[in-house]
């Protein structure tokens, strides 16, 4: 007995039979459900046991769930359960502090690498600070005398402790200020770089007595802030 066609339900004879989608079709009946375009075994697309062309093949989409009262109740109940579980977990873990990280071989390798980098940086900083501490002051360097006379290139030297000011007799030498100096006591003389100092007389190691030609002040001034001219 010849089976019926999947579209027209008429008997399908062996010479015109197409077996596809669990059905038998006449060659002329095996066409797209939408546009009726004739199909073959090479270009059809099956959906719900019906043939379609590529253009009209149904696209699958997600089913939209209607917000019925029952669905809304279930949604609210799920939310409440989630909040209750979160609060329960929070109370359990409260006060436990940081989580323990498993000491895996990879974590051990990273820790070792970080320790090595820290040690290298520490030694670099230590060597730099050692070089800075061992460096002599500018006035003690061998090449200090070879530098051109430019007082602004060097930092101001330290001022030594001085004795009480006693004005020496006049007729001293002429000196020029290498650096600016702000008087710290009433019997000292303030200087600006390049000031001429007249009647300079040494008082003690590190201090001299003189008169600033620019201001007319007479008093004590540090000897390493001036040079003879």
């Amino acid at each position: 007995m010849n089976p019926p066609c999947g579209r027209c339900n008429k008997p399908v004879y062996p010479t015109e039979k197409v077996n596809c989608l669990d059905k038998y079709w006449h060659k002329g009946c095996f066409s797209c459900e939408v546009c009726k375009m004739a199909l073959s075994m090479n270009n059809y697309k099956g959906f719900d046991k019906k043939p379609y062309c590529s253009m009209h093949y149904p696209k699958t989409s997600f089913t939209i769930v209607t917000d019925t009262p029952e669905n809304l109740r279930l949604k609210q109940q799920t939310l409440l359960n989630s909040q209750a579980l979160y609060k329960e977990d929070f109370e359990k873990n409260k006060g436990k502090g940081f989580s323990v990280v498993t000491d895996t071989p990879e974590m051990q390798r990273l820790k070792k690498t970080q320790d090595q980098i820290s040690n290298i940086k520490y030694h670099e900083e230590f060597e730099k600070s050692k070089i800075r501490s061992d460096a002599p002051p500018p006035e003690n360097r061998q090449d200090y005398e070879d530098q051109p006379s430019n007082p602004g290139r060097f930092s101001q030297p330290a001022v030594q402790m001085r004795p009480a000011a006693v004005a020496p007799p006049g007729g001293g030498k002429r000196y020029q200020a290498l650096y600016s100096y702000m008087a710290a006591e009433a019997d000292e003389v303030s200087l600006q770089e390049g000031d001429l100092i007249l009647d300079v007389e040494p008082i003690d190691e590190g201090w001299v007595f003189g008169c600033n030609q620019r201001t007319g002040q007479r008093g004590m001034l540090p000897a390493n802030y001036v040079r003879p001219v």
Side-chain angles (χ1 to χ4, degrees):
M1 182 177 178
N2 297 320
C5 176
R7 189 178 298 281
C8 67
N9 289 325
K10 294 180 181 180
V12 180
Y13 298 100
T15 56
E16 57 178 355
K17 182 171 63 175
V18 176
N19 185 4
C20 186
L21 300 174
D22 297 333
K23 296 180 181 180
Y24 294 97
W25 313 77
H26 294 109
K27 290 183 179 180
C29 294
F30 191 64
S31 59
C32 177
E33 284 288 322
V34 178
C35 64
K36 307 304 180 185
M37 181 183 77
L39 301 173
S40 66
M41 297 296 292
N42 297 326
N43 62 357
Y44 85 96
K45 288 183 178 292
F47 183 81
D48 197 19
K49 293 188 178 183
K50 295 178 181 179
Y52 291 89
C53 65
S54 300
M55 183 67 66
H56 297 102
Y57 181 72
K59 304 244 183 339
T60 56
S61 58
F62 296 102
T63 307
I64 299 175
V65 180
T66 309
D67 283 335
T68 61
E70 180 63 18
N71 288 336
L72 291 174
R73 186 187 68 79
L74 291 174
K75 182 179 179 181
Q76 183 68 19
Q77 186 64 35
T78 304
L79 181 61
L80 291 174
N81 291 339
S82 300
Q83 291 177 349
L85 290 173
Y86 171 78
K87 186 174 181 181
E88 183 179 353
D89 290 340
F90 176 78
E91 292 297 333
K92 286 181 180 179
N93 297 323
K94 189 175 180 181
K96 289 185 178 180
F98 299 102
S99 7
V100 179
V101 179
T102 308
D103 200 8
T104 62
E106 180 64 19
M107 292 298 296
Q108 292 178 356
R109 186 185 65 80
L110 290 175
K111 183 179 179 181
K112 186 176 181 181
T113 303
Q114 290 175 352
D115 291 341
Q116 290 175 349
I117 293 174
S118 300
N119 290 333
I120 292 172
K121 288 185 178 180
Y122 170 78
H123 287 297
E124 287 180 355
E125 294 296 330
F126 177 77
E127 291 298 330
K128 287 180 181 178
S129 62
K130 185 176 179 182
I131 291 173
R132 287 195 297 267
S133 62
D134 291 342
E139 60 270 16
N140 293 335
R141 292 180 185 172
Q142 184 176 359
D143 58 347
Y144 178 76
E145 296 296 335
D146 298 332
Q147 298 291 340
S149 178
N150 188 357
R153 295 182 57 189
F154 306 104
S155 59
Q156 294 182 352
V159 179
Q160 299 182 8
M161 295 294 294
R162 66 173 184 81
V166 178
K173 299 178 181 179
R174 291 163 55 91
Y175 278 62
Q176 185 178 23
L178 293 173
Y179 313 98
S180 297
Y181 175 73
M182 181 62 65
E185 300 290 343
D187 57 351
E188 294 180 3
V189 176
S190 297
L191 301 175
Q192 286 187 4
E193 184 180 337
D195 281 354
L196 276 178
I197 313 301
L198 307 178
D199 300 331
V200 177
E201 292 290 342
I203 298 297
D204 194 6
E205 182 179 359
W207 289 89
V208 295
F209 191 94
C211 174
N212 189 334
Q213 187 184 46
R214 178 177 59 84
T215 62
Q217 290 181 325
R218 296 176 60 86
M220 303 284 290
L221 55 142
N224 53 352
Y225 274 59
V226 295
R227 64 181 177 86
V229 293

